[in-house]
Every structure is written in structure tokens, then in C-alpha cells.
Amino acid sequence: MRPEENLAKRLVWRHSLSPRIDVMHLASLYATVEVCRFPVDVDGVSLFLKNKQRRPHILVSEALSPRRQRFTLAHELGHVLIPWHLGSIVDETDLINSIERSTYWDLEGEANRFASELLIPTDWMQSIVASTSDAAASTRIVVESADVSIQAATVKLLNSLPAGYVFARVHAGEVTWSGNSIGTLASRVPYGPVDVDSLFPAAEQHSWAAGSDGYYHWWQLKDALPLPDIEEGDDWRLLLQQILDDIPLFDPNKLRSSIHGVIAAANGSVRENRSTERIYAVCLNRLEGRANDASGIQQVIKHALFSRFLVAKVRDFRV
Ligand SMILES: [Zn+2]
């Protein structure tokens, strides 16, 4: 846990809080809080931070939805309480934008992680995860019980779930946001057009929750997969050539090198427990995660010889 998260955790403990957190009351203990209309596109402002002469002052935009207002207020409280945040700070706190944009250690990242830990305490989150059957169910409970946006709940889940979870938000047939739980060896699902049903058919579990900006899909991937029952002795080069011959719409050399690239990266990511079953699972997860791009990988996966090719290729990694 990082210092700003510890700070939020101690605050929750000191005030005996549990979700739903009354963030307005809490912030009022440490700063003068005002909800107001800004003439420009700003979500929140913190003034007079660590100023000996003046009490800190937080302004939050009335134009935000109630849940965004709660998150922004918690974020501004982070600026007030994190000791090295000084002066005045003007914020546009759109959560996903700021995650994509901010470097991990800058002030905005710190204030966001403070807000996330304050509104969705990790211990509480873990108890929700343990008591629900899938990630989408956890999402719905966190949104309702903690009174946070589905985006904030998703960010927290990405940081709380064990390795092996892949997330993608899909709106009008396109992936508009994606991520993996920490330690997951599969790649992030690329942004852009997608056929959701084709993604990760070998997953242990697929669940989804509806948000106003799309469907929030979660897959729990298997850590290892038994190899299909295929006899030894196949030459993967010949099999791949046969597959490529059957899908003439794609440049065979480009497609061959994308397949090799994905498999090499997958194999390289398995540093521990290098069993054939595990390497096979990671290769399959990575290829399936790329199945929505335009390079033809999806056609390769659908080909009748694909399993024989991948098994032969993975067996070749044995030492
Ligand atoms: Zn900020």
C-alpha cells in the first residue's frame, strides 16, 4: 500500500467509517467546503493547502453527477491531507482520463488513490469480492453500497482482484477502456471494434455489468489448461503454413509474424511454473485477446488445424 492509501486507511479507521462514506461531513472537518458553479470546465479546486494563516478551502462543481461529486470531494480532501500537496490545485478529475494521462507517482495519481481507498476501503472491497460469485456482481454491489461510479468501482476492482482477470468496457461494438488485474499474463484487450463473444472462449468465467457508458465485461482466465489430446510428432511450421494457405485475404508473412510475435511474448512472460499447461494457457489467452484486431488472428484461431499447431508449438518450448 502506498503512503496516500495508508493515510486514507487511517482516516477510515480513526473515524470508524464504513461505506457508504459521508464524504461531505468528513471533508468539512478538515476544510471549508463549497459546491459551486465554475465559469470554466473545472471539477474541483483546493485552496490554501498547508497555509498556516488560513483554513483549507475546497470547491466542487455543482455540474457533476452526485457520484462524481463525491469522488471529486474525496480527491480534493486528499490534496488537503497529503502532507506534500501544497498551494492551490485546480482539477479536472475525469477518472479514466486521469489514469491514462497521469504518471503513477504524480499528485493527481496520489489524490485519486487516496479517494479510491477512502470511498472503497480495500478490506471492505476484499470482503465483497469474497462474498460474490463474479466480478460483475462485485461491481454492482460496490457501486450501490459505496455510492461510487461504475468507473471508480472498476478501477478499485482492477487493483484488488488476484491475477488472471481481464476487463473491457464495450460501447456500440467497440472497446473503449480495458485493463487487467495485477500480475495477469494476458495482454490488455486492444481498444476498437470487437466481437465480444469471440473473446476468451476458454475463460473460467465471463460476467458483465451495465453502465451508462457501455457494458463492463470481466473474464476470469485459467492459469493453466490441459493440452488437447493430440499425438506428438506434428510439425508446427507445416501446420501454420496450411492454415495461412486457407485464409488468403491476409498477407501470410505479416500474419505469420504477428502469430509468432504474440506467442513469443506470451512464452517470455511465463517466468515461473513453466509447465506446458501454463504456457499453453498464456499463449491461448494472448491470442484470444488479440482476436478482435484486423490482422487475421481470429481466422487462424477458428481454423480446424489451430489446436494442433498451438500444441506442437508449445511442446517445442519444452527443454
Ligand atoms: Zn487533484
Side-chain angles (χ1 to χ4, degrees):
M1 216 176 223
R2 290 162 168 271
E4 63 277 7
E5 290 169 315
N6 265 319
L7 192 63
K9 191 180 176 173
R10 286 204 304 275
L11 196 65
V12 166
W13 179 79
R14 189 185 311 143
H15 293 278
S16 310
L17 304 174
S18 64
R20 172 187 187 264
I21 308 285
D22 186 347
V23 66
M24 177 59 90
H25 172 73
L26 186 66
S28 308
L29 303 176
Y30 298 94
T32 303
V33 180
E34 226 179 305
V35 178
C36 63
R37 185 188 308 230
F38 291 117
V40 286
D41 196 13
V42 164
D43 294 339
V45 174
S46 288
L47 302 170
F48 319 125
L49 300 173
K50 325 299 176 307
N51 181 324
K52 286 198 169 58
Q53 269 82 51
R54 302 196 60 167
R55 188 166 201 251
H57 201 123
I58 295 174
L59 305 169
V60 175
S61 168
E62 68 172 18
L64 299 174
S65 70
R67 284 178 175 157
R68 285 253 339 253
Q69 238 174 38
R70 283 169 51 74
F71 192 89
T72 300
L73 187 48
H75 173 110
E76 301 305 330
L77 181 59
H79 287 315
V80 169
L81 294 178
I82 297 170
W84 54 94
H85 290 204
L86 308 171
S88 297
I89 297 176
V90 177
D91 280 316
E92 187 264 304
T93 57
D94 183 270
L95 189 58
I96 298 164
N97 282 343
S98 73
I99 291 165
E100 305 273 295
R101 203 173 45 215
S102 65
T103 47
Y104 202 62
W105 50 84
D106 70 8
L107 302 187
E108 290 318 293
E110 288 168 355
N112 280 337
R113 285 190 293 278
F114 173 92
S116 178
E117 183 59 30
L118 177 62
L119 297 177
I120 315 169
T122 297
D123 295 345
W124 178 81
M125 178 83 199
Q126 299 293 7
S127 70
I128 300 288
V129 168
S131 67
T132 44
S133 56
D134 57 57
S138 307
T139 306
R140 289 187 210 102
I141 292 182
V142 170
V143 166
E144 291 305 319
S145 308
D147 196 8
V148 294
S149 67
I150 190 167
Q151 295 87 351
T154 301
V155 169
K156 188 74 184 184
L157 262 176
L158 282 168
N159 290 321
S160 306
L161 287 169
Y165 283 86
V166 173
F167 155 75
R169 181 182 64 190
V170 179
H171 180 64
E174 302 218 2
V175 174
T176 55
W177 181 28
S178 64
N180 296 345
S181 62
I182 295 159
T184 301
L185 296 180
S187 322
R188 256 170 87 149
V189 180
Y191 289 15
V194 68
D195 170 16
V196 174
D197 296 327
S198 75
L199 287 175
F200 309 114
E204 177 95 47
Q205 197 176 57
H206 174 204
S207 60
W208 59 92
S212 60
D213 54 359
Y215 283 92
Y216 285 63
H217 291 267
W218 287 91
W219 293 264
Q220 185 186 0
L221 304 181
K222 288 182 180 153
D223 190 40
L225 286 169
L227 266 63
D229 189 16
I230 292 168
E231 280 189 46
E232 303 255 354
D234 274 337
D235 181 338
W236 57 262
R237 289 171 196 83
L238 290 177
L239 288 167
L240 183 56
Q241 191 54 53
Q242 277 177 270
I243 295 171
L244 296 175
D245 287 346
D246 286 345
I247 39 178
L249 284 176
F250 296 92
D251 175 346
N253 292 325
K254 265 196 196 159
L255 187 47
R256 186 185 293 106
S257 62
S258 349
I259 295 276
H260 285 319
V262 173
I263 291 177
N267 177 48
S269 73
V270 183
R271 305 263 163 84
E272 294 161 352
N273 311 322
R274 287 187 51 84
S275 67
T276 313
E277 290 73 17
R278 192 156 143 80
I279 296 171
Y280 177 72
V282 174
C283 288
L284 194 59
N285 288 337
R286 290 236 180 168
L287 286 166
E288 287 176 347
R290 292 284 299 274
N292 68 339
D293 67 10
S295 65
I297 291 180
Q298 186 164 13
Q299 304 303 315
V300 174
I301 293 175
K302 281 183 182 158
H303 196 283
L305 292 175
F306 170 72
S307 286
R308 278 177 65 190
F309 155 72
L310 188 59
V311 167
K313 178 85 183 158
V314 168
R315 281 178 175 155
D316 231 28
F317 289 134
R318 284 181 303 201
V319 283

